[in-house]
Amino acid sequence: MKLTREARSIAVVINTGSRKGAAARKLVTQSLEEAQLPVSAVYTVDGGGDLGRTLELAVTDGHDLVLVGGGDGTVASAAGLVAGTDVVLGVLPLGTANDLARTLEIPQDLSGACAAFAEGKVVDIDLGRANGQPFLNVASAGLSVAVTEALSPRLKRLIGPLAYGVATLRSYAKHRPFHARLEFPEGDHEPVELEDLLQVAVGNGRYYGGGNAVSPTAGIDDHTLDIYAILAAPLREQAKIARSLKNGKFVENERVYHLTSRSVRLVTTPPLPVNLDGEIATSTPTDFTVERNAVHVVVPENSTSATFEGRS
């Protein structure tokens, strides 16, 4: 475990296209200055193709700590770039859901997050991959993709995390069930055929969708993926499942198929787009894997979300 204050050079990358990003630069730089952290460079980008190039520049420019402000999709992109290196990633919660910050027990307000980093520690977390693309929280196909498409920037700015509930209700009414086959390359489970599905999700972290838990035991450093499939059901039963999303106990419902593995292949009929941490980034068939202890991240000193083990 290292301390944040040992960082020699800190870069800050702010996605001004995120919900809180446009107004964040001044507050972030002031908060880091008050915390006596040595910021060497500040990059701002308004999403799009420039985001990847800016993140890559920040990571490869010799900084040993890169603080990334944006939504979970932005942070996952940065995690994919620093995976397997000694560069440490920090999460500035500027998105709508900020589920990774919630998993890592980072304060949801910017000044609180920056203050926590001042005395923070470095831990290792796992990185999920879907057809090679990185994700930190959850990858999914089915209803969640329609929800992502319904989450307009205006809706997120107006009502914040409540936008997820509104988008879900809109998407549920239009959903068409699908078929899925789950295959397990390591042979730890037999292949599974599932009909009449609402959603299939593969979780690497603990939280997703604005504070829903992947499962009661899910963690971002447990070196496994939580896989669950929700079967279509009458609205009354779906409401029952929805009520237990926050604590993850929905996986105990008889309409939910749940297991864990280090890798899984998802094949759907028809082929479907796949949502990675709020970004539609690939499609089925999809190969999911987990990279153990792939990313160094800074968390508050009292966070119990992960430990520093080193790679193996």
Side-chain angles (χ1 to χ4, degrees), residues 99-100 102-105 125-126 135-139 201-208 211-228 244-252 258-261 290 304-306:
D99 284 307
L100 181 62
R102 185 175 285 105
T103 291
L104 298 177
E105 301 169 9
I125 62 173
D126 300 331
F135 69 97
L136 288 165
N137 302 325
V138 168
V202 178
N204 172 63
R206 179 161 180 77
Y207 294 107
Y208 72 102
N212 296 326
V214 174
S215 80
T217 59
I220 201 164
D221 71 339
D222 60 4
H223 321 318
T224 60
L225 300 170
D226 275 79
I227 303 125
Y228 71 80
S244 57
L245 289 175
K246 289 295 183 182
N247 60 16
K249 290 188 176 181
F250 71 97
V251 297
E252 300 170 3
H258 172 248
L259 50 75
T260 61
S261 183
V290 61
T304 59
S305 58

Side-chain angles (χ1 to χ4, degrees), residues 135-296:
F135 69 97
L136 288 165
N137 302 325
V138 168
S140 56
L143 180 66
S144 62
V145 172
V147 172
T148 297
E149 293 172 336
L151 278 169
S152 68
R154 181 175 181 274
L155 185 64
K156 290 192 286 186
R157 282 195 300 271
L158 286 174
I159 61 176
L162 293 176
Y164 284 88
V166 174
T168 298
L169 289 174
R170 290 176 178 175
S171 303
Y172 182 81
K174 302 176 183 178
H175 177 73
R176 296 291 178 268
F178 62 97
H179 166 271
R181 176 179 171 86
L182 300 175
E183 302 170 355
F184 300 91
E186 297 190 10
D188 49 337
H189 302 284
E190 293 296 320
V192 178
E193 301 276 354
L194 298 166
E195 299 280 356
D196 200 24
L197 287 169
L198 185 70
Q199 179 167 301
V200 175
V202 178
N204 172 63
R206 179 161 180 77
Y207 294 107
Y208 72 102
N212 296 326
V214 174
S215 80
T217 59
I220 201 164
D221 71 339
D222 60 4
H223 321 318
T224 60
L225 300 170
D226 275 79
I227 303 125
Y228 71 80
I230 301 177
L231 303 176
L235 185 58
R236 184 175 181 178
E237 187 64 24
Q238 292 295 349
K240 182 179 178 181
I241 292 173
R243 285 194 294 270
S244 57
L245 289 175
K246 289 295 183 182
N247 60 16
K249 290 188 176 181
F250 71 97
V251 297
E252 300 170 3
N253 189 284
E254 62 181 10
R255 304 292 297 180
V256 179
Y257 181 87
H258 172 248
L259 50 75
T260 61
S261 183
R262 289 180 296 189
S263 62
V264 62
R265 178 175 173 82
L266 171 64
V267 183
T268 65
T269 305
L272 296 172
V274 176
N275 172 358
L276 308 181
D277 289 342
E279 305 290 338
I280 300 170
T282 187
S283 59
T284 59
T286 312
D287 293 301
F288 296 96
T289 56
V290 61
E291 296 179 11
R292 175 174 178 160
N293 298 337
V295 183
H296 298 319

